[in-house]
Amino acid sequence: MTPTFADLAKAQYILLTTFTKDGREKPTPIWAAVDGDRLLVITQEKSWKVKRIRNTPRVTLATCTMRGQATSEAVEGVAEVLDKSETAAVYDAIGKRYGLLGKVFNLFSKLRGGMDNNVGLALRVAPS
């Protein structure tokens, strides 16, 4: 089954696959919260996925388990690294989407310097 945006939006975990310069796939299970026609993700600003997205915004998205086992086919997408001014809004969206667990995640992330060390990503399904 190829997921729609609605399928991805309601999934507990999403398999975000970024691509290296030579085209190798690098899948990562993530949490994401809906914001209009995009999914918001929080991640470390110096992570390899951010570096790969800055190199090429092409990604694929699929529903998955907590361990990253895909439960749907992948759909093409586009990723954008958000400005640091949007980090707090991404934290808020994740906290609302994942309830108590999201709020606990946000608290510990912020205690470890998350507002300074993390950045938001916006994921969109590519037009077909």
Side-chain angles (χ1 to χ4, degrees):
M1 156 195 103
T2 303
T4 63
F5 180 80
D7 295 331
L8 293 168
K10 68 181 179 185
Q12 185 76 11
Y13 293 94
I14 294 172
L15 189 63
L16 169 65
T17 302
T18 55
F19 297 89
T20 62
K21 287 181 182 180
D22 63 4
R24 286 179 291 141
E25 298 181 350
K26 298 293 183 173
T28 307
I30 57 166
W31 277 357
V34 176
D35 179 46
D37 67 341
R38 62 188 189 164
L39 298 169
L40 300 177
V41 176
I42 197 81
T43 190
Q44 292 181 341
E45 185 174 22
K46 295 185 182 198
S47 70
W48 283 103
K49 79 173 85 59
V50 169
K51 291 175 185 178
R52 288 189 294 270
I53 288 168
R54 284 192 170 128
N55 181 54
T56 177
R58 177 184 172 245
V59 297
T60 62
L61 306 166
T63 59
C64 71
T65 66
M66 180 174 73
R67 299 202 186 274
Q69 181 68 40
T71 57
S72 75
E73 293 177 24
V75 62
E76 289 289 324
V78 178
E80 171 190 4
V81 179
L82 299 174
D83 187 83
K84 292 287 276 186
S85 64
E86 297 185 68
T87 303
V90 176
Y91 268 112
D92 289 345
I94 294 292
K96 288 176 187 166
R97 163 72 167 91
Y98 290 93
L100 181 59
L101 192 56
K103 288 175 179 40
V104 170
F105 165 82
N106 285 352
L107 173 67
F108 283 102
S109 177
K110 288 175 183 177
L111 288 174
R112 290 178 297 159
M115 292 301 286
D116 295 325
N117 301 325
N118 291 342
V119 67
L121 302 176
L123 309 175
R124 288 184 171 85
V125 173
S128 28

